[in-house]
């Protein structure tokens, strides 16, 4: 019963919260309509979400979020400096290959998104068997260092969250 | 409005504006598309984020009711920016990059997905096209 | 003081939009032009939010949200068209 009408409880909760934020008030009308949407939308889109991703504990997710936020701030300043004060010829832009230990698609998507959002690195492709990421670096004299950084800072934490 | 809050809001707007400018300037200055892709990620994280937090603080202090309305835009941009960057890179690579000479090998059984779209179960999207054409 | 900061912000975003426009008209490859449009949408969001602060009204927020959504959808549609030759398969 529960599984049939609420196939994805977390998605439903997220939809309800987003609807209340959009309405910008906590009134009975907004909550009821949000609840209706939270039931209908997962049912309609159920075929796009074949299985329920396992999500680990909240503390690990918060830690991951804070680490990513901090990295985004630091990397922003570094990349702004690179753009403003370096001649474009002296930038060592190159593609590096990051082999993946993660297996679940949600974890790989999160990792790819995180790499893109931290300035200085952009995920540009995934190998067809989903076992390596192609990452483009704006300025990376030390390619192995970038790979180790990604694996140690993000992939290890994501492994704890999703697997 | 207390002076400290006013100072924080002004600082956030100035920082946001500067990062938006640097992002677009980087897009103008860098030589090739792949380095250029790095510039707008700055604009979409700190640039828009700073301005939106400033707006949130302003309406909170000025109007007295606390809204997290603005966080919705930040969240939406954080979710969509990686997807657009990835798709733009894929579109560029498909048209302008030679997978054998310009890209490092994937070191796996399969090549990069943009050029070698055979999935792990042997699914090949290009077969569908051929069937359609026939 | 916020007014001065806002004026500074307007100048920055306007310059950024001009640079994007330059990249949009000049950009050597199609992907450059798509990137320019996407960045323009992001700059437009910031411009709308700043304008909302300047006018002291939260009305422009909805406009900014719409820009965020349509910017994303249009970029994905352009890229999808280049990648697959079709938008909705």
């Amino acid at each position: 019963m529960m599984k049939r009408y609420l196939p994805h409880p977390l998605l439903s909760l997220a939809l309800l919260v987003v609807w209340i934020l959009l309405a910008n008030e906590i009134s009975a009308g907004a909550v009821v309509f949000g609840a209706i949407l939270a039931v209908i939308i997962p049912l309609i889109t159920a075929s796009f979400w074949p299985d329920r991703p396992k999500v680990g504990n909240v503390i690990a997710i918060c830690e991951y979020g804070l680490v990513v936020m901090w990295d985004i701030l630091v990397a922003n300043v570094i990349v702004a400096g690179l753009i403003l004060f370096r001649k474009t010829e002296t930038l060592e832009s190159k593609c590096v290959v990051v082999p993946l230990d993660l297996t679940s698609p949600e974890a790989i998507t999160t990792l790819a998104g995180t790499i893109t959002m931290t300035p200085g690195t952009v995920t540009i492709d995934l190998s067809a068997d989903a076992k390596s990421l192609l990452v483009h670096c704006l300025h990376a004299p030390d390619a192995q260092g970038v790979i180790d950084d990604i694996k140690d800072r993000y992939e290890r934490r994501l492994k704890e969250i999703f697997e | 409005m207390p002076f400290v809050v006013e100072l924080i809001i002004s600082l956030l707007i100035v920082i946001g504006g500067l990062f938006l400018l640097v992002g677009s300037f980087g897009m103008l200055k860098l030589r090739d598309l792949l380095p250029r892709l790095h510039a707008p990620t700055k604009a979409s994280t700190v640039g828009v984020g700073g301005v939106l937090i400033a707006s949130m603080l302003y309406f909170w202090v000025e109007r007295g009711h606390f809204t997290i309305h603005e966080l919705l835009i930040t969240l939406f941009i954080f979710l969509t920016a990686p997807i657009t960057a990835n798709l733009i890179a894929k579109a560029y690579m498909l048209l302008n990059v030679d997978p054998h000479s310009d890209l490092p090998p994937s070191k796996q059984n399969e090549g990069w997905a943009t050029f070698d779209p055979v999935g792990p179960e042997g699914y090949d999207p290009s077969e569908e096209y051929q069937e359609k054409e026939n | 003081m916020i007014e001065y900061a806002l004026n500074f912000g307007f100048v920055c975003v306007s310059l950024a939009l001009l640079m994007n426009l330059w990249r949009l008209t000049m950009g050597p490859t199609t992907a450059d032009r798509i990137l320019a449009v996407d960045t323009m949408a992001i700059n437009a969001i910031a411009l709308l939010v700043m304008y909302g602060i300047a006018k002291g009204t939260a009305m422009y927020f909805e406009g900014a949200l719409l820009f965020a959504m349509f910017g994303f959808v249009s970029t994905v549609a352009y890229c999808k068209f280049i990648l697959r030759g079709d938008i909705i398969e």
Side-chain angles (χ1 to χ4, degrees), chain C residues 6-87:
Chain C
L6 278 173
N7 282 337
F8 179 79
F10 284 139
V11 171
C12 282
V13 176
S14 312
L15 279 176
L17 279 169
L18 276 179
M19 289 172 181
N20 293 337
L21 202 59
W22 176 263
R23 184 49 72 209
L24 182 64
T25 43
M26 287 306 177
T29 65
T30 321
D32 283 299
R33 295 172 209 265
I34 300 175
L35 182 65
V37 168
D38 189 48
T39 318
M40 266 181 132
I42 285 172
N43 283 332
I45 295 167
L47 191 64
L48 273 176
V49 173
M50 280 186 199
Y51 196 68
I53 301 178
K55 291 280 162 197
T57 161
M59 250 179 66
Y60 294 94
F61 175 82
E62 265 76 23
L65 198 62
L66 281 177
F67 254 98
M69 291 183 175
F70 280 103
F72 171 63
V73 172
S74 57
T75 313
V76 169
Y78 281 132
C79 292
K80 201 79 183 140
F81 184 72
I82 291 179
L83 281 171
R84 307 294 299 268
D86 206 348
I87 296 172

Side-chain angles (χ1 to χ4, degrees), chain A residues 3-58:
Chain A
K3 194 155 178 146
R4 189 161 163 213
Y5 291 107
L6 273 182
H8 301 287
L10 280 176
L11 178 66
S12 301
L13 188 68
L15 282 170
L16 180 61
V17 170
V18 166
W19 182 259
I20 290 173
L21 281 178
L22 265 179
N24 211 7
E25 56 179 359
I26 303 184
S27 63
V31 173
V32 168
F33 199 70
I36 292 173
L37 287 179
V39 172
I40 289 177
I41 292 177
L43 284 180
I44 294 174
T45 58
S47 52
F48 296 116
W49 310 77
D51 41 36
R52 213 184 271 188
K54 271 196 302 181
V55 176
N57 57 344
V58 183

Side-chain angles (χ1 to χ4, degrees), chain B residues 22-83:
Chain B
V22 171
S24 295
F25 177 67
M27 205 174 71
L28 206 62
K29 185 185 173 191
L30 297 169
R31 290 295 161 80
D32 198 17
L33 183 102
L34 289 178
R36 262 179 215 149
L37 263 183
H38 295 278
T41 56
K42 264 197 323 307
S44 56
T45 50
V46 170
V48 177
V51 174
L52 283 169
I53 292 171
S55 156
M56 205 163 87
L57 275 175
Y58 178 80
F59 285 110
W60 185 19
V61 176
E62 185 81 6
R63 295 291 167 79
H65 63 92
F66 179 65
T67 61
I68 31 180
H69 219 166
E70 275 83 0
L71 280 186
L72 214 60
I73 295 186
T74 322
L75 187 73
F76 191 78
I77 291 176
F78 264 64
L79 286 181
T80 56
I83 302 171

Side-chain angles (χ1 to χ4, degrees), chain A residues 100-143:
Chain A
L100 288 172
D101 295 329
L102 300 167
T103 47
S104 82
E106 291 85 10
I108 295 175
T109 313
T110 318
L111 180 67
T114 311
I115 293 171
T116 305
M117 285 318 275
T118 46
T121 47
V122 171
T123 315
I124 54 179
D125 212 346
L126 177 74
S127 74
D129 50 0
K131 280 176 185 156
S132 342
L133 282 177
L134 184 60
V135 175
H136 186 268
C137 304
L138 182 61
H139 180 63
D142 174 22

